[in-house]
Coordinates of all heavy atoms in Angstrom, one line a residue:
M1 N 0.9 -1.2 0.0 CA -0.1 0.0 0.0 C 1.0 1.2 0.0 O 1.9 1.3 0.7 CB -0.9 -0.1 1.2 CG -1.8 1.2 1.3 SD -2.8 1.3 2.9 CE -3.5 -0.4 3.0
S2 N 0.6 2.3 -0.8 CA 1.4 3.4 -0.9 C 1.1 4.3 0.4 O 0.2 4.2 1.0 CB 1.1 4.2 -2.2 OG -0.3 4.7 -2.1
K3 N 2.1 5.1 0.6 CA 2.1 5.9 1.8 C 1.0 7.0 1.7 O 0.3 7.3 2.7 CB 3.4 6.7 2.0 CG 3.5 7.4 3.3 CD 4.8 7.8 3.6 CE 4.8 8.6 4.9 NZ 5.6 8.3 5.9
S4 N 0.7 7.5 0.5 CA -0.4 8.5 0.4 C -1.7 7.9 0.6 O -2.6 8.5 1.2 CB -0.3 9.2 -0.9 OG -0.5 8.3 -2.0
K5 N -1.9 6.6 0.1 CA -3.2 6.0 0.3 C -3.4 5.6 1.6 O -4.4 5.8 2.3 CB -3.3 4.7 -0.6 CG -4.5 4.0 -0.6 CD -4.4 2.8 -1.5 CE -5.8 2.0 -1.3 NZ -5.9 0.8 -2.2
F6 N -2.3 5.2 2.4 CA -2.3 4.8 3.8 C -2.7 6.1 4.6 O -3.5 6.1 5.5 CB -1.1 4.3 4.3 CG -1.0 4.0 5.7 CD1 -1.6 2.8 6.3 CD2 -0.4 4.9 6.6 CE1 -1.7 2.6 7.6 CE2 -0.5 4.6 8.0 CZ -1.0 3.5 8.4
N7 N -2.1 7.3 4.2 CA -2.5 8.5 5.0 C -3.9 9.0 4.8 O -4.5 9.4 5.7 CB -1.6 9.6 4.6 CG -0.1 9.5 5.1 OD1 0.1 8.8 6.1 ND2 0.9 10.1 4.5
T8 N -4.4 8.7 3.5 CA -5.8 9.0 3.4 C -6.7 8.1 4.1 O -7.8 8.6 4.8 CB -6.1 8.9 1.8 OG1 -5.2 9.6 1.1 CG2 -7.6 9.3 1.5
I9 N -6.4 6.9 4.2 CA -7.2 6.0 5.0 C -7.2 6.3 6.5 O -8.2 6.3 7.2 CB -6.8 4.6 4.7 CG1 -7.2 4.1 3.3 CG2 -7.5 3.5 5.7 CD1 -6.6 2.7 2.9
N10 N -6.0 6.6 6.9 CA -5.8 7.1 8.3 C -6.6 8.2 8.7 O -7.2 8.3 9.7 CB -4.2 7.2 8.6 CG -3.9 7.1 10.0 OD1 -4.7 6.8 10.8 ND2 -2.6 7.4 10.3
I11 N -6.6 9.2 7.8 CA -7.3 10.5 8.1 C -8.9 10.1 8.2 O -9.6 10.6 9.0 CB -7.1 11.5 7.0 CG1 -5.6 12.0 7.3 CG2 -8.1 12.7 7.1 CD1 -5.2 13.0 6.2
A12 N -9.3 9.3 7.2 CA -10.8 8.9 7.2 C -11.2 8.2 8.4 O -12.3 8.4 9.0 CB -11.0 8.0 6.0
V13 N -10.3 7.3 8.9 CA -10.5 6.5 10.1 C -10.7 7.4 11.3 O -11.4 7.1 12.2 CB -9.5 5.4 10.3 CG1 -9.5 4.8 11.7 CG2 -9.8 4.3 9.3
G14 N -9.8 8.4 11.4 CA -9.9 9.3 12.4 C -11.1 10.3 12.4 O -11.6 10.7 13.4
L15 N -11.5 10.7 11.2 CA -12.5 11.7 10.9 C -13.9 11.1 11.0 O -14.8 11.8 11.6 CB -12.3 12.3 9.6 CG -13.2 13.5 9.2 CD1 -12.9 14.6 10.2 CD2 -13.0 14.0 7.8
I16 N -14.1 9.9 10.6 CA -15.5 9.3 10.6 C -16.0 9.2 12.0 O -17.1 9.5 12.3 CB -15.5 8.0 9.8 CG1 -15.4 8.3 8.4 CG2 -16.9 7.2 10.1 CD1 -15.2 7.1 7.5
P17 N -15.3 8.6 13.0 CA -15.8 8.5 14.3 C -16.0 9.8 15.0 O -17.0 10.0 15.8 CB -14.8 7.7 15.1 CG -14.0 7.0 14.1 CD -14.0 7.9 12.9
F18 N -15.2 10.8 14.7 CA -15.5 12.2 15.2 C -16.7 12.7 14.7 O -17.4 13.2 15.5 CB -14.2 13.0 14.8 CG -14.4 14.5 15.1 CD1 -14.2 14.9 16.4 CD2 -14.7 15.4 14.1 CE1 -14.4 16.2 16.7 CE2 -14.9 16.7 14.4 CZ -14.9 17.2 15.7
L19 N -17.0 12.6 13.4 CA -18.3 13.1 13.0 C -19.5 12.3 13.4 O -20.5 12.9 13.6 CB -18.2 12.9 11.4 CG -17.2 13.9 10.7 CD1 -17.3 13.5 9.2 CD2 -17.5 15.3 10.9
M20 N -19.3 11.2 13.8 CA -20.4 10.4 14.4 C -20.7 10.7 15.8 O -21.7 10.4 16.3 CB -20.2 8.8 14.3 CG -20.1 8.4 12.8 SD -21.5 8.8 11.8 CE -22.8 7.8 12.5
L21 N -19.8 11.4 16.4 CA -20.0 11.8 17.9 C -20.3 13.3 18.0 O -20.5 13.7 19.2 CB -18.6 11.5 18.6 CG -18.5 10.0 18.8 CD1 -17.1 9.7 19.4 CD2 -19.5 9.3 19.5
V22 N -20.4 14.1 17.0 CA -20.8 15.5 17.0 C -22.0 15.7 16.3 O -22.5 14.9 15.5 CB -19.6 16.3 16.6 CG1 -18.4 16.3 17.4 CG2 -19.3 16.1 15.1
F23 N -22.7 16.8 16.6 CA -23.7 17.2 15.9 C -23.5 17.4 14.3 O -22.5 17.9 14.0 CB -24.3 18.7 16.4 CG -25.5 19.2 15.8 CD1 -26.7 18.7 16.2 CD2 -25.5 20.1 14.7 CE1 -27.9 19.2 15.7 CE2 -26.6 20.6 14.3 CZ -27.8 20.1 14.6
P24 N -24.4 17.1 13.5 CA -25.8 16.6 13.6 C -25.8 15.1 13.6 O -27.0 14.5 13.8 CB -26.4 17.1 12.3 CG -25.3 17.1 11.3 CD -24.1 17.4 12.1
F25 N -24.8 14.3 13.4 CA -24.9 12.9 13.4 C -25.2 12.3 14.8 O -25.7 11.2 14.8 CB -23.6 12.3 12.8 CG -23.3 12.7 11.4 CD1 -22.3 13.5 11.1 CD2 -24.2 12.1 10.4 CE1 -22.1 13.9 9.7 CE2 -23.9 12.5 9.1 CZ -22.9 13.5 8.8
F26 N -24.8 12.9 15.8 CA -25.1 12.4 17.2 C -26.6 12.4 17.4 O -27.0 11.6 18.2 CB -24.3 13.2 18.2 CG -24.5 12.6 19.6 CD1 -23.9 11.4 19.9 CD2 -25.3 13.2 20.6 CE1 -24.2 10.9 21.2 CE2 -25.5 12.7 21.8 CZ -24.9 11.5 22.2
E27 N -27.3 13.2 16.7 CA -28.8 13.2 16.9 C -29.4 11.9 16.5 O -30.6 11.6 17.1 CB -29.3 14.4 16.0 CG -29.0 15.7 16.5 CD -29.5 16.1 17.9 OE1 -30.6 15.6 18.3 OE2 -28.7 16.6 18.7
I28 N -28.7 11.0 15.7 CA -29.2 9.7 15.4 C -29.4 8.9 16.7 O -30.3 8.2 16.8 CB -28.3 9.0 14.4 CG1 -28.2 9.8 13.1 CG2 -28.7 7.5 14.2 CD1 -27.1 9.3 12.2
A29 N -28.5 9.1 17.6 CA -28.4 8.3 18.9 C -28.8 9.0 20.1 O -28.8 8.5 21.1 CB -27.0 7.8 19.0
N30 N -29.2 10.3 19.9 CA -29.5 11.1 21.1 C -31.0 10.7 21.7 O -31.9 11.5 21.6 CB -29.4 12.5 20.8 CG -29.3 13.4 22.0 OD1 -29.2 12.9 23.2 ND2 -29.4 14.7 21.9
R31 N -31.0 9.4 22.2 CA -32.3 8.9 22.8 C -31.9 8.2 24.0 O -30.9 7.6 24.1 CB -33.0 8.0 21.7 CG -33.5 8.7 20.5 CD -34.1 7.7 19.6 NE -32.9 7.0 18.9 CZ -33.0 5.8 18.4 NH1 -34.1 5.1 18.5 NH2 -32.0 5.3 17.8
A32 N -32.9 8.2 24.9 CA -32.7 7.4 26.2 C -33.6 6.2 26.3 O -33.3 5.3 27.1 CB -32.9 8.3 27.3
T33 N -34.5 6.1 25.4 CA -35.5 5.0 25.5 C -34.8 3.6 25.3 O -35.1 2.8 26.2 CB -36.6 5.2 24.4 OG1 -36.1 5.5 23.2 CG2 -37.6 6.3 25.0
P34 N -34.2 3.2 24.3 CA -33.6 1.9 24.3 C -32.5 1.7 25.3 O -31.6 2.5 25.2 CB -33.1 1.6 22.9 CG -33.1 2.9 22.2 CD -33.9 3.9 23.1
I35 N -32.6 0.8 26.2 CA -31.5 0.5 27.2 C -30.8 -0.7 26.7 O -31.3 -1.8 26.5 CB -32.2 0.2 28.6 CG1 -32.9 1.4 29.0 CG2 -31.0 -0.1 29.6 CD1 -32.3 2.7 29.2
I36 N -29.5 -0.5 26.4 CA -28.6 -1.7 26.0 C -27.5 -1.8 27.0 O -26.8 -0.9 27.3 CB -28.0 -1.3 24.6 CG1 -29.1 -1.1 23.6 CG2 -27.0 -2.4 24.1 CD1 -28.6 -0.5 22.3
F37 N -27.4 -3.0 27.6 CA -26.4 -3.4 28.6 C -26.5 -2.4 29.8 O -25.6 -2.0 30.4 CB -25.0 -3.3 28.1 CG -24.7 -4.2 27.0 CD1 -24.3 -3.9 25.8 CD2 -24.9 -5.6 27.2 CE1 -24.0 -4.8 24.8 CE2 -24.7 -6.5 26.2 CZ -24.2 -6.1 25.0
G38 N -27.8 -2.0 30.1 CA -28.1 -1.1 31.2 C -27.7 0.5 31.0 O -27.7 1.2 31.9
L39 N -27.4 0.8 29.7 CA -27.0 2.1 29.4 C -28.0 2.7 28.4 O -28.6 2.1 27.6 CB -25.6 2.2 28.8 CG -24.4 1.6 29.5 CD1 -23.2 1.6 28.6 CD2 -24.1 2.6 30.7
P40 N -28.3 4.0 28.6 CA -29.1 4.7 27.6 C -28.4 4.6 26.2 O -27.1 4.4 26.1 CB -29.2 6.1 28.1 CG -28.8 6.1 29.4 CD -27.9 4.9 29.6
F41 N -29.1 4.6 25.2 CA -28.7 4.4 23.8 C -27.5 5.4 23.5 O -26.6 5.1 22.8 CB -29.8 4.4 22.8 CG -29.2 4.1 21.4 CD1 -28.9 2.8 21.1 CD2 -29.1 5.0 20.3 CE1 -28.4 2.5 19.8 CE2 -28.7 4.7 19.1 CZ -28.3 3.4 18.9
S42 N -27.7 6.7 24.0 CA -26.7 7.7 23.7 C -25.3 7.4 24.3 O -24.3 7.4 23.6 CB -27.1 9.1 24.1 OG -27.3 9.0 25.4
F43 N -25.3 6.7 25.5 CA -24.0 6.3 26.1 C -23.4 5.2 25.3 O -22.3 5.0 25.1 CB -24.2 6.0 27.6 CG -24.5 7.1 28.5 CD1 -24.9 6.9 29.7 CD2 -24.3 8.4 28.1 CE1 -25.1 8.0 30.5 CE2 -24.5 9.5 28.9 CZ -25.0 9.3 30.2
F44 N -24.3 4.2 25.1 CA -23.9 3.0 24.3 C -23.3 3.4 22.9 O -22.3 2.9 22.5 CB -25.1 2.1 24.0 CG -24.7 0.8 23.3 CD1 -24.0 -0.2 23.8 CD2 -25.3 0.8 21.9 CE1 -23.7 -1.3 23.0 CE2 -24.9 -0.3 21.2 CZ -24.1 -1.3 21.7
W45 N -24.0 4.4 22.2 CA -23.4 4.9 21.0 C -22.0 5.5 21.1 O -21.2 5.1 20.2 CB -24.4 6.1 20.5 CG -24.1 6.7 19.1 CD1 -23.2 7.8 19.0 CD2 -24.4 6.3 17.9 NE1 -23.2 8.1 17.6 CE2 -23.9 7.2 16.9 CE3 -25.2 5.2 17.4 CZ2 -24.1 7.1 15.5 CZ3 -25.5 5.1 16.1 CH2 -24.8 6.0 15.1
V46 N -21.8 6.2 22.1 CA -20.4 6.7 22.3 C -19.4 5.6 22.5 O -18.3 5.6 22.0 CB -20.3 7.8 23.5 CG1 -18.9 8.2 23.7 CG2 -21.3 8.9 23.0
I47 N -19.7 4.7 23.4 CA -18.8 3.6 23.7 C -18.6 2.7 22.4 O -17.5 2.4 22.2 CB -19.4 2.7 24.8 CG1 -19.4 3.6 26.1 CG2 -18.7 1.5 25.0 CD1 -20.1 2.9 27.3
V48 N -19.6 2.5 21.7 CA -19.4 1.7 20.5 C -18.4 2.4 19.5 O -17.5 1.7 18.9 CB -20.7 1.4 19.8 CG1 -20.5 1.0 18.4 CG2 -21.5 0.3 20.5
W49 N -18.5 3.7 19.3 CA -17.6 4.4 18.4 C -16.3 4.5 19.0 O -15.2 4.5 18.1 CB -18.2 5.8 18.1 CG -19.2 5.6 17.0 CD1 -20.6 5.7 17.2 CD2 -19.0 5.4 15.7 NE1 -21.2 5.5 15.9 CE2 -20.2 5.2 15.0 CE3 -17.8 5.1 14.9 CZ2 -20.2 4.9 13.6 CZ3 -17.9 4.8 13.6 CH2 -19.1 4.8 13.0
I50 N -16.1 4.5 20.3 CA -14.7 4.5 20.9 C -14.1 3.2 20.6 O -12.9 3.1 20.2 CB -14.8 4.8 22.3 CG1 -15.1 6.2 22.6 CG2 -13.4 4.5 23.1 CD1 -15.4 6.6 24.1
V51 N -14.8 2.1 20.7 CA -14.3 0.8 20.4 C -14.0 0.5 18.9 O -13.0 0.0 18.6 CB -15.3 -0.3 20.9 CG1 -14.9 -1.7 20.4 CG2 -15.3 -0.3 22.4
I52 N -14.9 1.0 18.1 CA -14.6 1.0 16.6 C -13.4 1.7 16.3 O -12.5 1.2 15.5 CB -15.9 1.4 15.9 CG1 -17.0 0.5 16.1 CG2 -15.5 1.7 14.4 CD1 -18.3 1.0 15.4
T53 N -13.2 2.9 16.9 CA -12.0 3.7 16.5 C -10.8 2.9 17.0 O -9.8 3.0 16.3 CB -12.1 5.1 17.3 OG1 -13.3 5.7 16.8 CG2 -10.9 5.9 16.9
F54 N -10.8 2.4 18.2 CA -9.6 1.7 18.7 C -9.3 0.5 17.8 O -8.1 0.3 17.4 CB -9.9 1.2 20.2 CG -8.9 0.3 20.7 CD1 -7.6 0.7 21.1 CD2 -9.0 -1.1 20.7 CE1 -6.6 -0.1 21.6 CE2 -8.0 -2.0 21.2 CZ -6.9 -1.4 21.6
V55 N -10.3 -0.3 17.5 CA -10.0 -1.5 16.6 C -9.4 -1.0 15.2 O -8.4 -1.6 14.7 CB -11.3 -2.3 16.4 CG1 -11.1 -3.4 15.4 CG2 -11.6 -2.9 17.7
A56 N -10.0 0.0 14.6 CA -9.5 0.5 13.4 C -8.1 1.0 13.4 O -7.3 0.8 12.5 CB -10.5 1.6 12.8
L57 N -7.8 1.8 14.5 CA -6.4 2.2 14.6 C -5.3 1.1 14.9 O -4.3 1.2 14.3 CB -6.3 3.3 15.8 CG -7.0 4.6 15.5 CD1 -7.0 5.5 16.7 CD2 -6.4 5.2 14.3
V58 N -5.8 0.1 15.6 CA -5.0 -1.1 15.7 C -4.6 -1.8 14.4 O -3.5 -2.2 14.1 CB -5.5 -2.1 16.7 CG1 -4.7 -3.4 16.7 CG2 -5.4 -1.5 18.2
V59 N -5.7 -1.9 13.6 CA -5.6 -2.5 12.3 C -4.7 -1.6 11.4 O -3.7 -2.0 10.7 CB -6.9 -2.7 11.6 CG1 -6.7 -3.1 10.1 CG2 -7.7 -3.7 12.3
L60 N -4.9 -0.3 11.5 CA -4.0 0.6 10.6 C -2.5 0.5 11.1 O -1.7 0.7 10.3 CB -4.5 2.0 10.7 CG -5.8 2.3 9.9 CD1 -6.2 3.7 10.2 CD2 -5.4 2.2 8.4
Y61 N -2.3 0.4 12.4 CA -0.9 0.2 13.0 C -0.3 -0.9 12.3 O 1.0 -0.9 12.0 CB -1.0 0.2 14.4 CG 0.4 0.0 15.1 CD1 1.3 1.0 15.1 CD2 0.7 -1.2 15.5 CE1 2.6 0.8 15.7 CE2 2.0 -1.5 16.0 CZ 2.9 -0.4 16.1 OH 4.2 -0.6 16.7
R62 N -1.0 -2.0 12.3 CA -0.4 -3.3 11.7 C -0.2 -3.1 10.2 O 0.7 -3.8 9.7 CB -1.4 -4.4 11.9 CG -1.6 -4.7 13.4 CD -0.5 -5.5 13.9 NE -0.9 -5.9 15.4 CZ 0.0 -6.3 16.2 NH1 1.2 -6.4 15.8 NH2 -0.4 -6.6 17.4
L63 N -1.0 -2.3 9.5 CA -0.8 -2.2 8.1 C 0.1 -1.0 7.7 O 0.4 -0.8 6.5 CB -2.2 -1.9 7.4 CG -3.2 -3.1 7.5 CD1 -4.5 -2.6 6.9 CD2 -2.6 -4.3 6.9
D64 N 0.7 -0.3 8.6 CA 1.5 0.8 8.4 C 2.8 0.5 7.6 O 3.6 -0.4 8.0 CB 2.0 1.4 9.8 CG 2.7 2.8 9.7 OD1 2.9 3.2 8.5 OD2 3.1 3.3 10.7
P65 N 2.9 1.1 6.4 CA 4.1 0.8 5.6 C 5.4 1.2 6.2 O 6.5 0.6 5.9 CB 3.8 1.5 4.3 CG 2.7 2.5 4.6 CD 2.1 2.1 5.8
D66 N 5.4 2.2 7.1 CA 6.6 2.6 7.7 C 7.1 1.8 8.9 O 8.1 2.0 9.5 CB 6.6 4.1 8.2 CG 6.4 5.0 7.0 OD1 6.9 4.6 5.8 OD2 5.9 6.2 7.1
Q67 N 6.2 1.0 9.3 CA 6.5 0.2 10.6 C 7.7 -0.7 10.3 O 8.5 -0.9 11.2 CB 5.3 -0.7 10.9 CG 5.5 -1.5 12.1 CD 4.3 -2.3 12.5 OE1 3.3 -2.4 11.7 NE2 4.2 -2.9 13.7
D68 N 7.8 -1.4 9.2 CA 9.1 -2.2 8.9 C 10.3 -1.4 8.9 O 11.4 -1.9 9.3 CB 8.8 -2.9 7.6 CG 7.6 -3.8 7.6 OD1 7.3 -4.3 8.7 OD2 7.0 -4.1 6.5
E69 N 10.3 -0.2 8.5 CA 11.5 0.7 8.4 C 12.0 1.0 9.7 O 13.1 1.0 10.0 CB 11.2 1.9 7.7 CG 11.0 1.6 6.2 CD 10.5 2.9 5.3 OE1 10.6 4.0 6.0 OE2 10.2 2.8 4.2
E70 N 11.1 1.2 10.7 CA 11.5 1.6 12.0 C 12.1 0.4 12.8 O 12.9 0.6 13.7 CB 10.3 2.0 12.9 CG 9.7 3.4 12.3 CD 8.4 3.9 13.0 OE1 8.0 3.2 13.9 OE2 7.9 4.9 12.6
E71 N 11.6 -0.9 12.6 CA 12.1 -2.0 13.2 C 13.5 -2.3 12.7 O 14.3 -3.0 13.5 CB 11.2 -3.2 13.0 CG 9.9 -3.0 13.6 CD 8.9 -4.2 13.3 OE1 9.3 -5.1 12.5 OE2 7.8 -4.2 13.9
D72 N 14.0 -2.0 11.5 CA 15.2 -2.3 11.0 C 16.3 -1.4 11.6 O 17.5 -1.8 11.6 CB 15.3 -2.1 9.5 CG 14.4 -3.3 8.8 OD1 14.2 -4.3 9.5 OD2 13.9 -3.0 7.7
V73 N 15.9 -0.2 12.1 CA 16.9 0.7 12.6 C 17.6 0.3 13.9 O 17.2 -0.3 14.7 CB 16.2 2.1 12.7 CG1 17.3 3.1 13.4 CG2 15.8 2.6 11.4

């Protein structure tokens, strides 16, 4: 994977969760009625996006084209 393509994917992975947690996209989940794991849906929405972001960043870390270069030094 080229470095520019990796940087584009990295920016998208950082930007999408951010957008899902701010207005107006947070309005999708700004409800208290469904209770999931004992949490209102809005809290569950935030926790799910934090977990999704963490998993996506771990995957991107593993796919980082510069990671091999740093290990050789």
Side-chain angles (χ1 to χ4, degrees):
M1 178 182 315
S2 69
K3 187 167 174 127
S4 64
K5 183 177 180 181
F6 177 78
N7 286 340
T8 304
I9 293 171
N10 202 3
I11 289 169
V13 166
L15 189 63
I16 290 170
F18 172 74
L19 291 175
M20 296 308 287
L21 294 173
V22 296
F23 180 80
F25 296 109
F26 184 71
E27 293 298 321
I28 297 168
N30 196 9
R31 295 176 280 153
T33 47
I35 302 295
I36 302 171
F37 299 121
L39 297 171
F41 187 71
S42 59
F43 289 168
F44 178 75
W45 179 266
V46 171
I47 290 170
V48 163
W49 278 105
I50 289 171
V51 170
I52 289 171
T53 305
F54 172 75
V55 170
L57 289 176
V58 167
V59 169
L60 283 175
Y61 176 75
R62 298 282 185 197
L63 296 175
D64 187 2
D66 291 337
Q67 182 180 8
D68 296 332
E69 294 174 7
E70 292 174 2
E71 291 176 359
D72 292 338
V73 174

